Amino acid sequence: MTIARGDRIPSVPIKLVGAGDTIDTTSDAVLGQGLVVFFGVPGAFTPTCDTSHLPGFIANTAKFKALGVSKIVCGTVNDHHVTKAWAERSDAIGKIEFIADGEGNLADALGLSKQMAGMGKRFARFAMIIEDGVVRDLFVQDVTGVTVSGAPAILMALQSAQVTA
């Protein structure tokens, strides 16, 4: 069953990759406080993830912060070494935090895992807005490419929420 609006983020062991050392922690510890944008990609260094999905969030970090987002987190079903290399090469360190979900346990717990030909278990492409550990909005990409789960769509959702608040 896929996580839905109003659901609490599950507590699953993950590795948090950021500016310092990789930290063993849990998904709810990383995603459970403040206003968080969490997006998942099928794989580090894969074409669409690397050239379309991640760069949009990096380029719009200041806009997300201006809308009250306390952190942006990218999840990938890769080991922490690959995830860190991708974060460093993408110049995302200090702007975005990364969850390395090497076994896909968080992807499974969220109901957002999928088998991809030749790649095994991966995250489906998605983005969510989480407020104090509860899913406020979920955007799962149904088609190839980055549309509903990309930075522009998530910025629009955040702006729309501010207008109606």
Side-chain angles (χ1 to χ4, degrees):
M1 179 166 223
T2 303
I3 196 163
R5 177 182 239 175
D7 289 348
R8 185 159 285 290
I9 293 296
S11 181
V12 177
I14 52 97
K15 292 192 180 285
L16 179 65
V17 176
D21 293 332
T22 298
I23 301 166
D24 288 318
T25 185
T26 60
S27 52
D28 59 329
V30 174
L31 303 170
Q33 294 179 16
L35 185 61
V36 178
V37 171
F38 176 43
F39 68 103
V41 299
F45 295 108
T46 58
T48 303
C49 306
D50 193 45
T51 62
S52 297
H53 210 174
L54 177 61
F57 285 95
I58 295 169
N60 288 290
T61 302
K63 290 179 183 175
F64 281 106
K65 299 292 181 185
L67 290 167
V69 172
S70 53
K71 68 171 115 175
I72 303 167
V73 181
C74 176
T76 182
V77 181
N78 290 105
D79 68 68
H80 64 283
H81 301 291
V82 169
T83 303
K84 183 143 183 121
W86 185 45
E88 289 172 343
R89 205 265 300 137
S90 300
D91 199 28
I93 298 289
K95 299 171 188 147
I96 295 176
E97 294 179 11
F98 290 79
I99 288 176
D101 184 27
E103 300 293 323
N105 295 326
L106 177 58
D108 286 343
L110 294 172
L112 292 167
S113 67
K114 68 188 261 183
Q115 287 295 124
M116 297 186 78
M119 294 174 65
K121 184 192 307 183
R122 298 296 173 139
F123 268 118
R125 187 175 308 285
F126 73 90
M128 65 175 75
I129 299 169
I130 306 165
E131 192 163 6
D132 295 326
V134 176
V135 177
R136 191 166 99 184
D137 285 301
L138 174 63
F139 309 89
V140 179
Q141 196 72 50
D142 289 334
V143 295
T144 304
V146 179
T147 55
V148 301
S149 65
I154 305 310
L155 284 167
M156 284 179 27
L158 288 164
Q159 291 165 340
S160 175
Q162 280 192 337
V163 170
T164 60

